[in-house]
């Protein structure tokens, strides 16, 4: 079916009307790009997707994601435990992926923030309302694994001292408060299409809805943990295909890239749905 049709998802039907209203606005500068990834984390280097649900490092220990949060306000507003956040596994593969994206777009090293520069502060301070393509390659933490008001979010390099601007964890509510003008947001992380953690919430009620509310037009996200090698190939190839064939839509470029991954017999296990099926395109799909 994926070969016959270009498949997209929407958080809600109302979001389609919102997206099409946004398309009437002046979009960001074509080819402008901002990529953030490979945050400085103290755990053993590992590939995305290798971390078991509830595990935060590559040591073989099972570390509950709930341990990343300490009750700093009598149960009203959980705060990130920086030491536990720093203990998460490093993700060197994300640096290679972002550098390949920048090369494919011709934007160079100036368009990516890695390591010590991959901070929540730098992300919020970037000119995101002038950026056409935003890529975030890091750990994605799902909602529902922690108690209380915790939200899904993305991991950045933890600060030495926590502030209201930066605690190393970009939550869905923080994303929703941003001002974006992006044609394309690529979330190359695990579980980024998960729900917001509330009872009965839909799968796209978390990060996906937050990015649309902030002004993104199309989102590439994942329904479960992604493989490091496949994520890099799929995201970069989608960009390359649309650059090579400007007449096709993002949905068509994604369809072709997914087909190439699935049909690559030289790569062990790439044909299996666990490799390529977690990825989903969210948005209008007509651009």
């Amino acid at each position: 079916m994926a070969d016959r049709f270009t498949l997209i998802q929407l958080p809600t039907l109302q979001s389609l009307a919102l997206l099409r209203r946004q398309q009437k606005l002046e979009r960001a500068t074509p080819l402008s790009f901002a990529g953030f990834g490979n945050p400085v984390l103290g755990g053993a280097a590992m590939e995305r997707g290798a971390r078991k649900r509830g595990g935060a490092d590559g040591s073989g220990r099972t570390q509950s994601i709930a341990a990343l949060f300490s009750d700093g306000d009598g149960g009203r507003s959980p705060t990130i435990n920086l030491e536990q956040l720093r203990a998460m596994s490093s993700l060197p593969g994300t640096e290679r992926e972002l550098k390949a994206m920048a090369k494919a777009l011709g934007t160079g090293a100036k368009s990516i923030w890695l390591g010590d520069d991959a901070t929540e502060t730098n992300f919020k301070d970037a000119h995101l309302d002038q950026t056409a393509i935003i890529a975030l390659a890091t750990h994605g933490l799902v909602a529902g694994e922690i108690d209380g008001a915790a939200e899904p979010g993305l991991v950045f390099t933890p600060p030495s001292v926590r502030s209201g601007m930066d605690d190393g964890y970009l939550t869905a509510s923080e994303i929703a408060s941003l001002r974006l003008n992006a044609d394309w947001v690529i979330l190359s992380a695990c579980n980024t299409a998960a729900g917001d953690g509330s009872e009965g919430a839909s799968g796209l009620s978390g990060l996906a809805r937050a990015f649309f509310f902030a002004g993104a037009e199309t989102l590439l996200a994942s329904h479960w943990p992604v493989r490091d090698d496949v994520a890099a190939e799929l995201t970069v190839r989608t960009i390359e295909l649309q650059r090579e064939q400007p007449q096709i839509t993002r949905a068509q470029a994604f369809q072709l890239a997914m087909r190439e991954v699935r049909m690559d017999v030289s790569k062990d296990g790439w044909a299996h749905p666990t490799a390529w099926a977690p990825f989903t395109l969210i948005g209008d799909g007509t651009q």
Side-chain angles (χ1 to χ4, degrees):
M1 186 171 67
D3 286 340
R4 293 179 58 198
F5 304 102
T6 53
L7 304 176
I8 61 169
Q9 287 186 280
L10 287 168
T12 63
L13 286 176
Q14 291 88 339
S15 64
L16 181 60
L18 174 63
L19 288 169
R20 290 185 171 172
R21 283 199 302 270
Q22 289 175 344
Q23 287 171 7
K24 297 177 182 178
L25 303 176
E26 183 179 354
R27 304 306 299 177
T29 304
L31 302 186
S32 60
F33 173 65
F36 292 79
N38 195 19
V40 176
L41 302 169
M46 65 184 295
E47 296 182 349
R48 282 162 293 177
R51 175 172 65 84
K52 294 181 179 179
R53 185 178 175 91
D57 60 32
S59 64
R61 299 190 302 269
T62 299
Q63 179 176 321
S64 172
I65 289 182
L68 295 174
F69 294 81
S70 60
D71 184 358
D73 191 18
R76 292 188 297 277
S77 56
T79 56
I80 290 288
N81 182 319
L82 289 179
E83 293 306 313
Q84 295 291 336
L85 194 65
R86 293 188 186 105
M88 294 189 73
S89 58
S90 59
L91 298 169
T94 61
E95 179 169 340
R96 295 190 293 271
E97 179 178 357
L98 289 172
K99 286 181 175 178
M101 286 186 195
K103 181 179 179 181
L105 290 166
T107 58
K110 68 181 183 300
S111 63
I112 54 177
W113 287 257
L114 303 167
D116 288 326
D117 295 324
T119 65
E120 191 178 356
T121 296
N122 283 343
F123 179 75
K124 292 175 179 177
D125 283 343
H127 298 293
L128 300 177
D129 60 339
Q130 302 171 31
T131 305
I133 301 174
I134 299 170
L136 294 159
T138 182
H139 286 293
L141 302 187
V142 301
E145 295 185 81
I146 51 180
D147 295 328
E151 302 175 61
L154 300 165
V155 175
F156 285 75
T157 295
S160 56
V161 179
R162 184 198 326 275
S163 70
M165 180 77 165
D166 190 342
D167 63 0
Y169 186 63
L170 183 70
T171 66
S173 60
E174 288 178 301
I175 292 165
S177 69
L178 298 173
R179 182 183 177 188
L180 306 182
N181 195 22
D183 299 322
W184 182 251
V185 175
I186 299 171
L187 300 182
S188 191
C190 298
N191 305 302
T192 49
D196 63 11
S198 60
E199 185 175 356
S202 63
L204 300 180
S205 61
L207 293 177
R209 185 172 295 178
F211 273 105
F212 284 133
F213 190 84
E217 183 176 301
T218 306
L219 194 68
L220 182 62
S222 63
H223 283 292
W224 63 77
V226 301
R227 281 182 48 168
D228 214 40
D229 52 351
V230 178
E233 178 70 19
L234 188 60
T235 58
V236 175
R237 191 67 185 125
T238 299
I239 290 172
E240 289 175 341
L241 285 165
Q242 198 176 31
R243 289 270 282 164
E244 294 166 2
Q245 304 176 57
Q247 75 279 8
I248 66 175
T249 65
R250 286 186 285 275
Q252 290 170 324
F254 176 61
Q255 177 191 39
L256 293 172
M258 185 175 287
R259 182 184 300 164
E260 288 184 8
V261 166
R262 195 174 66 249
M263 301 298 290
D264 191 345
V265 295
S266 68
K267 304 292 179 58
D268 184 40
W270 279 28
H272 197 281
T274 56
W276 52 267
F279 298 96
T280 184
L281 191 71
I282 310 167
D284 189 345
T286 61
Q287 300 296 313

